[in-house]
């Protein structure tokens, strides 16, 4: 298959990961970055060649969001035959700026896109060739987009293992404000509450706090650009959350009716959580959990997973929590409800420490 040469501008986490994935898929990739060190690092990692191309088929702008629009415009003019896309997490503001600075013919060659993938770590050193695998990749086109150029961008995204979704830019920005941008703010604000907390208190942290604050390790500079680029949508979401927070704060005065308000807010959270897609983008699914207490020693998890496999049970999801002060942890194994009893009994027979409440509950149902 004849694949167009790809030029990636920006060799941070996304740009380098993209280069790695495209090279694996058989694309010829060249790299550019304002930092010669960053470009050389990406090249040394195998993401592409640190060179300026003469006539690339596709140019991917993977710069920070605040400089994406001028970089796109420059690419459209420098390579007048190339299809130009970007991977920024905001789409409407960039499209408006590009439209203001280009002709209709130039604009026809620009197609905004956004892979819904990332890590809390940044830079080329954090790149992975499988970063986009099984992740949604949003492509924003319209009825005026030339079909052959749209096909190039779709093929590029699918070559990384991503699943392409076509969305309007405004709908994209409204959606990511809720599923990505506002969660980043909330994670950071929650983590900030630990900044001056006595260390003995922080030591009580369990997996719940780790889950909520994991993405708080993200780069503040990058996220300032993302949040300001999608400011109106994020502001709307945070205002709605502020309303719910005010309701919860008032309810915790424990006046008459408070218990109903608290329960209602928590139940709304249950409903929202249940709408998050399941594995591989499938419909949401409810799983049963089997908790196993394990020693924090080499090989323990390997033996546990081997035993689960021998029992013929598929692990749908897994979570590990570490005890404080002792070398023990708990592994929560999510399985389909029909497999819960088989797994619990089988692990007990093999000597694993499993709370027997699951068996007792199964027997009562």
């Amino acid at each position: 298959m004849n694949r167009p040469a790809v030029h990636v501008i920006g060799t941070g986490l996304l740009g380098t990961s993209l280069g790695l994935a495209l090279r694996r898929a058989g694309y010829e990739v060249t790299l550019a970055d304002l930092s010669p060190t960053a470009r050389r690092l990406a090249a040394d990692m195998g993401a592409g060649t640190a060179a300026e191309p003469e006539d690339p088929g596709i140019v991917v702008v993977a710069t920070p969001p605040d400089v994406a629009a001028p970089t796109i415009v420059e690419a459209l003019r420098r390579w007048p035959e190339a299809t130009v896309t970007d991977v920024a997490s905001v789409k409407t503001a960039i499209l408006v700026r590009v439209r203001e600075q280009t002709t209709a013919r130039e604009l026809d060659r620009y197609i905004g896109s956004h892979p819904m993938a990332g890590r809390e770590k940044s830079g080329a050193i954090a790149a992975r060739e499988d970063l986009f695998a099984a992740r949604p990749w949003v492509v924003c086109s319209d009825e005026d987009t030339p079909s052959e150029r749209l096909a190039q961008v779709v093929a590029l995204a699918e070559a990384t293992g991503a699943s392409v979704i076509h969305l309007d830019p405004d709908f994209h920005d409204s959606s990511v404000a809720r599923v990505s941008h506002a969660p980043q703010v909330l994670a950071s604000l929650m983590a900030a509450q630990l900044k001056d907390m006595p260390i003995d208190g922080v030591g009580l942290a369990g997996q719940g706090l780790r889950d909520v604050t994991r993405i708080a390790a993200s780069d503040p500079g990058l996220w300032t650009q993302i949040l300001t680029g999608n400011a109106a949508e994020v502001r709307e979401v945070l205002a709605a959350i502020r309303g719910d927070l005010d309701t919860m704060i008032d309810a915790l005065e424990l006046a008459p009716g408070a218990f109903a308000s608290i329960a209602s807010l928590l139940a709304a959270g249950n409903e929202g959580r249940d709408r998050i897609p399941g594995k591989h983008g499938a419909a949401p699914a409810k799983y049963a959990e089997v908790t196993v207490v394990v020693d924090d020693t080499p090989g323990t998890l390997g033996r546990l997973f081997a035993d689960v496999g021998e029992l013929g049970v598929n692990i749908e999801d897994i979570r590990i929590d570490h005890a404080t002060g002792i070398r023990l942890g708990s592994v929560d194994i999510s399985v389909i409800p029909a497999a819960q009893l088989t797994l619990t009994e089988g692990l007990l027979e093999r000597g694993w420490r499993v709370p027997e409440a699951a068996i007792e509950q199964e027997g009562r149902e």
Side-chain angles (χ1 to χ4, degrees):
M1 179 179 179
N2 186 23
R3 300 184 185 276
V6 177
H7 185 53
V8 178
I9 304 176
T11 53
L13 170 65
L14 291 184
T16 305
S17 296
L18 179 59
L20 291 170
L22 293 179
R23 288 286 296 276
R24 180 189 59 189
Y27 281 81
E28 176 187 342
V29 180
T30 53
L31 306 169
D33 197 287
L34 286 176
S35 167
T37 300
R39 182 175 69 165
R40 179 61 183 272
L41 173 58
D44 285 353
M45 292 177 63
T49 304
E52 289 295 314
E54 291 185 7
D55 189 24
I58 304 175
V59 177
V60 182
V61 174
T63 63
D66 63 343
V67 295
T71 307
I72 291 166
V73 173
E74 181 183 354
L76 287 168
R77 291 174 180 165
R78 182 170 183 177
W79 295 288
E81 301 300 322
T83 298
V84 179
T85 187
D86 73 294
V87 293
S89 60
V90 291
K91 297 271 69 85
T92 302
I94 291 175
L95 176 60
V96 169
R97 294 185 190 123
V98 171
R99 183 182 287 137
E100 290 172 346
Q101 301 174 55
T102 56
T103 66
R105 286 178 62 100
E106 289 172 332
L107 192 62
D108 279 347
R109 294 189 288 111
Y110 167 63
I111 302 172
S113 71
H114 176 210
M116 299 296 296
R119 302 182 68 188
E120 63 274 18
K121 300 176 181 179
S122 60
I125 196 65
R128 294 178 2 197
E129 71 172 21
D130 63 349
L131 185 69
F132 310 105
R135 300 297 303 165
W137 188 307
V138 177
V139 174
C140 297
S141 60
D142 57 33
E143 62 276 5
D144 296 326
T145 302
S147 59
E148 67 277 8
R149 296 194 182 277
L150 177 60
Q152 284 185 324
V153 174
V154 169
L156 178 145
E158 291 178 342
T160 70
S163 176
V164 172
I165 299 174
H166 297 271
L167 294 180
D168 171 85
D170 290 337
F171 183 78
H172 166 273
D173 289 357
S174 175
S175 298
V176 295
R178 287 158 177 79
V179 304
S180 175
H181 301 171
Q184 175 65 51
V185 174
L186 297 177
S188 296
L189 295 180
M190 185 64 241
Q193 292 296 310
L194 310 177
K195 184 166 62 72
D196 299 320
M197 186 176 177
I199 192 62
D200 289 345
V202 178
L204 299 175
Q207 193 60 39
L209 182 67
R210 292 185 176 91
D211 288 344
V212 169
T213 61
R214 179 184 61 82
I215 58 175
S218 299
D219 180 6
L222 174 62
W223 272 97
T224 297
Q225 296 176 32
I226 293 172
L227 294 172
T228 55
N230 200 23
E233 295 290 350
V234 177
R235 180 181 171 86
E236 181 179 332
V237 179
L238 294 179
I241 294 171
R242 180 174 61 187
D244 286 343
L245 281 174
D246 287 341
T247 301
M248 178 65 80
I249 291 168
D250 291 343
L252 291 175
E253 293 284 350
L254 302 184
F259 285 44
S261 294
I262 294 169
S264 177
L265 288 168
L266 297 176
N270 291 159
E271 292 179 24
R273 176 65 179 81
D274 287 345
R275 297 194 66 200
I276 298 175
K279 289 172 59 177
H280 314 305
K286 285 189 175 293
Y287 299 122
E289 276 195 354
V290 175
T291 300
V292 186
V293 178
V294 298
D295 297 318
D296 188 6
T297 55
T300 300
L301 288 178
R303 293 195 301 273
L304 173 61
F305 296 153
D307 283 349
V308 174
E310 288 177 5
L311 290 168
V313 174
N314 187 56
I315 297 176
E316 305 294 338
D317 203 352
I318 189 168
R319 187 177 70 178
I320 302 174
D321 194 6
H322 301 279
T324 301
I326 55 175
R327 296 185 65 81
L328 284 177
S330 62
V331 181
D332 295 329
I333 303 173
S334 296
V335 298
I336 60 173
Q340 182 182 28
L341 183 60
T342 297
L343 179 59
T344 304
E345 291 181 333
L347 291 178
L348 283 170
E349 290 172 358
R350 285 164 169 76
W352 293 99
R353 288 169 283 182
V354 184
E356 298 190 32
I359 294 180
E360 297 171 358
Q361 180 179 0
E362 186 79 19
R364 293 195 297 269
E365 292 178 350

